Every structure is written in C-alpha cells, then in structure tokens.
C-alpha cells in the first residue's frame, strides 16, 4: 500500500503566509475568505503535526541509555 507524503513543512508554511496575506488584504469575498481560512486551518494543523513529529525525533535522539532525557538549548543565530 502506497503511503501519501504530506507536503514539507517549509512549503506549507510559505503557503500559509500567502493565505494570511490574502485574508489581510480584505479583497476576498466572504465565501472566498471562509475557503481561504479553512485552507489555512488545514495547513496550520499540518505544520503542527510536522513540528510534533520533529520534536519526538529530537527526544529520541537525546534520550540517554538510562531512559532519562537530556536537554540542550539550540544555538541561536547570534552564536553561529
């Protein structure tokens, strides 16, 4: 059975930003605004799911042999 791949996070986020710009312009009809808003909600949920999956992967990678989680801050842009 083929597994459908969800759009990548960056593409979804860029599309969401476009939808927000369209909504903020005020040029859409009520019906088009509702459709755009619905699309935005779907993209938001997709992005949240991607972030949750990434967080789980990081936790697995940081898990120590004794089962305890080790946390480390991500370097900020200023540190690189």
């Amino acid at each position: 059975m083929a597994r459908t791949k969800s759009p990548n996070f960056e593409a979804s986020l860029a599309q969401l930003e476009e939808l927000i710009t369209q909504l903020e312009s005020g040029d859409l009809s009520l019906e088009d605004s509702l459709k755009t808003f619905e699309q935005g909600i779907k993209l938001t949920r997709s992005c949240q799911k991607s972030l949750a999956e990434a967080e789980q992967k990081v936790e697995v990678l940081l898990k120590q042999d004794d089962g305890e989680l080790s946390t480390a801050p991500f370097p900020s842009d200023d540190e690189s």
Side-chain angles (χ1 to χ4, degrees):
M1 182 182 288
R3 200 173 129 184
T4 58
K5 186 177 180 184
S6 61
N8 75 22
F9 177 79
E10 289 81 8
S12 294
L13 191 57
Q15 193 176 0
L16 183 58
E17 289 174 350
E18 285 180 32
L19 294 177
I20 291 169
T21 301
Q22 290 175 8
L23 287 169
E24 288 179 339
S25 74
D27 295 334
L28 299 175
S29 67
L30 178 59
E31 185 177 330
D32 288 340
S33 292
L34 288 172
K35 287 178 184 178
T36 302
F37 181 76
E38 185 177 356
Q39 270 185 292
I41 294 298
K42 289 177 183 178
L43 286 169
T44 300
R45 289 181 180 148
S46 173
C47 288
Q48 288 173 335
K49 181 180 176 187
S50 295
L51 288 173
E53 289 171 358
E55 183 178 17
Q56 289 174 343
K57 288 178 184 178
V58 169
E59 285 180 1
V60 167
L61 292 172
L62 293 177
K63 192 172 266 193
Q64 298 176 353
D65 291 335
D66 61 2
E68 294 293 318
L69 283 181
S70 168
T71 59
F74 286 106
S76 67
D77 290 340
D78 297 336
E79 294 176 16
S80 43

